[in-house]
């Protein structure tokens, strides 16, 4: 198993164990940043600290330690541009942070502590679907790909994932013959960098066949059998 697979499994396991914890508020999880910041490049790392993180579930007692260990910066490592870029890449590939900032706190001896400032993506804590009529709820849920436990890169009003979800459900109603249906999808912020996703459906009028007329043309002499002519369909909304 590759290093990145181990990293992902470790963090997923950690978050799963903390899934029942109380919502986490943004707070300092390590030594706060201060005026003793220095450039990182070319310095020797004495350690890594999680300075701040608002990621949901990040207040689990083992979260900071496990995350710090997972980035692979050993004590005594020289902080080169390549190593710092690798740290950012490893954190980014977890796909739970939307902002990653690295800084360094100097010490009298010249070494530094690498500080991680992380802004997490919003965690979906609930998905509510309202207004389901005429169709089976299971059909709607098949079209609902925003799931509880998912981290959203963008949970603001009009976010692309919300618009995509809205269009998917609206298309389903259109295919089922409902004209003028309205669907709205929005995220409602919750404590601890969580979000409740609300999907509201307002079905339009359903187009139905009022009458079906089938006209049979005269049989062709060579066949001896009638053949179907034009099919006339009259529709109305109902």
């Amino acid at each position: 198993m590759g290093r990145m697979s181990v990293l992902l499994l470790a963090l997923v396991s950690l978050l799963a164990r903390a899934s029942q914890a109380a919502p986490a508020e943004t707070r300092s999880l390590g030594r706060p940043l201060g005026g003793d910041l220095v450039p990182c490049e070319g310095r020797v790392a004495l350690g890594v600290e999680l300075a701040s993180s608002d990621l949901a579930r990040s207040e689990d007692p083992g979260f900071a330690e496990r995350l710090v260990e997972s980035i692979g910066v050993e004590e005594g490592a020289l902080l080169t541009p390549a190593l710092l870029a690798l740290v950012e890449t490893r954190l980014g590939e977890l796909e739970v942070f939307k902002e990653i900032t690295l800084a360094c706190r100097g010490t009298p001896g010249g070494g530094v502590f690498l500080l991680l400032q992380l802004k997490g993506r919003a965690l979906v804590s609930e998905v509510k679907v309202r207004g389901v009529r005429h169709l089976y709820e299971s059909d709607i849920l098949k079209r609902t790909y925003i799931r509880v436990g998912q981290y959203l890169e963008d949970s603001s009003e009009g976010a692309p994932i919300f618009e995509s979800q809205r269009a998917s459900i609206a298309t389903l109603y259109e295919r089922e013959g409902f004209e003028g249906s309205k669907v709205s999808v929005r995220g409602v912020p919750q404590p601890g960098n969580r979000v409740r996703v609300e999907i509201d459906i307002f079905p339009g009028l359903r187009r139905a066949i009022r009458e079906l007329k089938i006209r049979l043309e005269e049989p062709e002499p060579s066949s001896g059998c009638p053949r179907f002519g034009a099919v006339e369909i009259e529709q109305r909304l109902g």
Side-chain angles (χ1 to χ4, degrees), residues 10-189:
L11 186 58
V12 168
S13 175
L14 175 61
L15 294 177
R17 291 201 304 272
S19 61
Q20 303 303 319
E25 300 292 345
T26 301
R27 70 178 183 89
S28 174
L29 299 180
R31 189 184 182 101
L33 301 183
D36 52 355
L37 296 183
V38 297
C40 292
E41 294 183 10
R43 307 273 182 157
V44 174
L46 301 179
V48 181
E49 296 179 357
L50 181 57
S52 63
S53 171
D54 66 349
L55 183 70
R57 305 171 180 166
S58 62
E59 285 195 347
D60 175 78
F63 178 83
E65 290 76 11
R66 293 287 296 274
L67 183 65
V68 164
E69 290 176 1
S70 70
I71 64 173
V73 176
E74 304 291 342
E75 181 178 355
L78 181 64
L79 296 178
T80 64
L83 179 57
L84 294 171
L86 180 60
V87 170
E88 291 188 358
T89 297
R90 287 173 175 169
L91 291 171
E93 287 179 342
L94 295 175
E95 297 185 347
V96 296
F97 302 114
K98 62 181 179 180
E99 291 183 15
I100 299 169
T101 302
L102 305 181
C104 282
R105 175 172 57 83
T107 66
V112 298
F113 285 88
L114 178 62
L115 307 179
L116 311 180
Q117 302 174 83
L118 307 173
K119 187 170 182 59
R121 300 181 182 183
L123 176 69
V124 178
S125 59
E126 183 182 5
V127 177
K128 297 186 67 174
V129 182
R130 298 178 293 215
V132 178
R133 297 191 297 273
H134 309 296
L135 301 181
Y136 290 107
E137 186 171 350
S138 59
D139 293 329
I140 302 300
L141 293 177
K142 289 177 182 177
R143 292 266 181 167
T144 306
Y145 47 79
I146 299 177
R147 305 294 185 186
V148 172
Q150 179 178 353
Y151 287 93
L152 300 182
E153 183 174 6
D154 183 2
S155 59
S156 62
E157 183 176 356
I161 191 170
F162 292 157
E163 174 57 26
S164 177
Q165 181 68 86
R166 183 206 65 77
S168 176
I169 297 175
T171 298
L172 173 63
Y173 271 84
E174 290 175 2
R175 290 177 178 174
E176 291 295 328
F178 292 92
E179 292 195 346
S181 298
K182 304 293 183 182
V183 179
S184 70
V185 181
R186 68 185 188 121
V188 180

Side-chain angles (χ1 to χ4, degrees), residues 183-232:
V183 179
S184 70
V185 181
R186 68 185 188 121
V188 180
Q190 303 296 300
N193 199 17
R194 289 166 164 80
V195 62
R196 181 177 69 245
V197 177
E198 297 182 350
I199 301 174
D200 291 293
I201 303 171
F202 306 93
L205 295 177
R206 193 171 198 175
R207 181 174 294 278
I209 297 177
R210 178 181 180 183
E211 185 177 1
L212 177 64
K213 297 179 181 180
I214 300 178
R215 176 171 53 83
L216 298 179
E217 296 181 349
E218 292 296 325
E220 294 183 356
S222 59
S223 66
C225 298
R227 63 186 179 89
F228 289 102
V231 177
E232 300 176 3

